[in-house]
Amino acid sequence: MYPAELVKPMREDLTNVGFEELQTAEAVDAALAKEGTTLVVVNSVCGCAAANARPGARMSLQNAKRPNNITTVFAGVDKEAVDKAREYMIPFPPSSPCMALFKDGELVHMLERHHIEGRPAELIAENLVDAYNDHC
């Protein structure tokens, strides 16, 4: 597990723009039980999270349509929450970073690490915006 002081700025990269941090399995269950749409970002300390995933997630929120709830779990830190979130993401294999959009608790869109790594944040935001326009 990563030290809290190391991941604090990486957490704040999302929480400062309104993402709710989910740190327990119960918090994940509660978030995904909510009506409407919920984005779950599996945050990470890796370079593609910093350069692509987090900026892309933030940019996507500029769209007129956006999820009702925006949440995040942190891989390598909040193990219980990440494991629970990944259960909801089956059949996709675990990866971090990744992003999943749920509608009424059902997975409707998934961005795996291989969709994020090496792609500009703008492309990731565009992918999410397309999903928001379809499902939100």
Side-chain angles (χ1 to χ4, degrees):
M1 293 300 182
Y2 297 104
E5 62 276 2
L6 172 74
V7 300
K8 185 177 187 281
M10 297 171 210
R11 287 182 185 275
E12 290 173 348
D13 211 4
L14 295 176
T15 59
N16 284 347
V17 297
F19 280 80
E20 176 188 2
E21 197 166 38
L22 308 174
Q23 295 182 305
T24 66
E26 294 79 16
V28 171
D29 284 336
L32 292 176
K34 292 179 181 176
E35 244 182 71
T37 50
T38 301
L39 177 67
V40 178
V41 174
V42 178
N43 202 349
S44 172
V45 298
C46 72
C48 65
N52 313 80
R54 291 191 301 266
R58 288 192 318 268
M59 281 184 229
S60 75
L61 301 178
Q62 303 308 310
N63 192 48
K65 288 185 176 184
R66 55 180 273 182
N68 302 107
N69 310 291
I70 52 174
T71 66
T72 181
V73 296
F74 208 111
V77 179
D78 302 318
K79 181 175 176 14
E80 178 187 329
V82 171
D83 288 347
K84 179 53 80 171
R86 286 178 172 158
E87 286 178 19
Y88 284 95
M89 296 173 192
I90 291 172
F92 295 94
S95 68
S96 56
C98 69
M99 301 176 200
L101 182 65
F102 296 86
K103 185 170 187 171
D104 298 327
E106 296 295 320
L107 180 64
V108 294
H109 187 74
M110 184 75 182
L111 272 174
E112 298 175 84
R113 180 187 177 103
H114 69 88
H115 297 122
I116 295 168
E117 194 172 30
R119 290 180 173 74
E122 294 81 7
L123 188 60
I124 293 160
E126 183 179 308
N127 182 294
L128 290 171
V129 164
D130 287 345
Y132 301 164
N133 289 338
D134 287 345
H135 301 288
C136 297

